């Protein structure tokens, strides 16, 4: 691990893959990254560099994939969201835990790990004013 990396969330997928969500500074706004490790030791790390949440896009989705590792997505929402639901093309819905981003004020982030051959079909976030379906626009890690 690079000495400037900060891990701010980690977990395990339903199939036993572990993941770590981190951030590290760079010359611009920093890099948010996701590292997925399978039970048999295959690892993939990908990320994005970007500023905080925009009022024009309440949710940002950054996806990535690699051979021998399941797909992963970093989903960023504005502070105020209380829950996030993600449904993949295999009809599985996951409730995503949200954590405050350490460097992007006003942004919460969560991770979805899902099988190869599937895509994120729908995203819905819940806040004080209700449930909001979000158009899917994905950027690859």
């Amino acid at each position: 691990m690079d000495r400037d990396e900060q891990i701010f969330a980690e977990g395990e997928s339903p199939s036993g893959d572990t993941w770590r969500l981190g951030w590290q500074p760079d010359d611009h706004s920093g890099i948010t990254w996701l590292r997925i490790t399978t039970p048999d030791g295959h690892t993939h790390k990908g990320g994005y560099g970007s500023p905080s949440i925009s009022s024009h896009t309440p949710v940002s989705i950054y996806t990535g994939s690699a051979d021998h590792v399941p797909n992963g997505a970093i989903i960023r929402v504005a502070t105020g969201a209380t829950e996030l639901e993600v449904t993949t093309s295999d009809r599985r819905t996951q409730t995503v835990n949200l954590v405050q981003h350490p460097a992007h004020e006003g942004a919460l982030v969560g991770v979805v790990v899902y099988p190869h051959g599937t895509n994120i079909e729908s995203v819905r976030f819940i806040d004080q004013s209700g449930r909001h379906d979000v158009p899917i626009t994905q950027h690859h890690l």
Side-chain angles (χ1 to χ4, degrees), residues 29 32 49:
S29 59
T32 302

Side-chain angles (χ1 to χ4, degrees), residues 52-54 58 76-81 99-109:
S52 219
I53 284 290
S54 163
R76 191 172 52 181
V77 300
T79 299
V99 296
Q100 181 66 48
H101 193 289
H104 295 171
E105 188 174 323
L108 298 172
V109 290

Side-chain angles (χ1 to χ4, degrees), residues 65-139:
S65 63
D67 291 341
H68 308 295
V69 178
N71 297 331
I74 301 170
I75 303 176
R76 191 172 52 181
V77 300
T79 299
T82 57
E83 194 172 320
L84 185 67
E85 297 171 346
V86 176
T87 302
T88 50
S89 58
D90 60 357
R91 306 268 189 257
R92 294 183 187 177
T93 299
Q94 295 183 43
T95 299
V96 178
N97 292 327
L98 296 170
V99 296
Q100 181 66 48
H101 193 289
H104 295 171
E105 188 174 323
L108 298 172
V109 290
V111 169
V112 177
V113 175
Y114 54 102
H116 274 287
T118 62
N119 297 308
I120 294 176
E121 291 283 315
S122 69
V123 174
R124 172 182 291 159
F125 73 94
I126 295 97
D127 65 12
Q128 216 171 2
S129 65
R131 295 178 174 276
H132 309 276
D133 290 323
V134 178
I136 304 297
T137 304
Q138 300 180 27
H139 303 283

Side-chain angles (χ1 to χ4, degrees), residues 5-88:
E5 290 182 343
Q6 300 174 31
I7 295 170
F8 62 96
E10 51 192 325
E12 187 172 313
S13 75
S15 58
D17 307 293
T18 59
W19 57 265
R20 288 183 165 187
L21 183 62
W23 181 84
Q24 65 193 69
D26 69 2
D27 293 338
H28 302 286
S29 59
I31 297 169
T32 302
W33 52 263
L34 172 62
R35 180 182 294 121
I36 299 171
T37 304
T38 64
D40 60 0
H42 291 96
T43 298
H44 174 70
K45 178 182 174 185
Y48 68 91
S50 66
S52 219
I53 284 290
S54 163
S55 61
H56 300 44
T57 54
V59 176
S60 297
I61 303 170
Y62 300 86
T63 63
S65 63
D67 291 341
H68 308 295
V69 178
N71 297 331
I74 301 170
I75 303 176
R76 191 172 52 181
V77 300
T79 299
T82 57
E83 194 172 320
L84 185 67
E85 297 171 346
V86 176
T87 302
T88 50

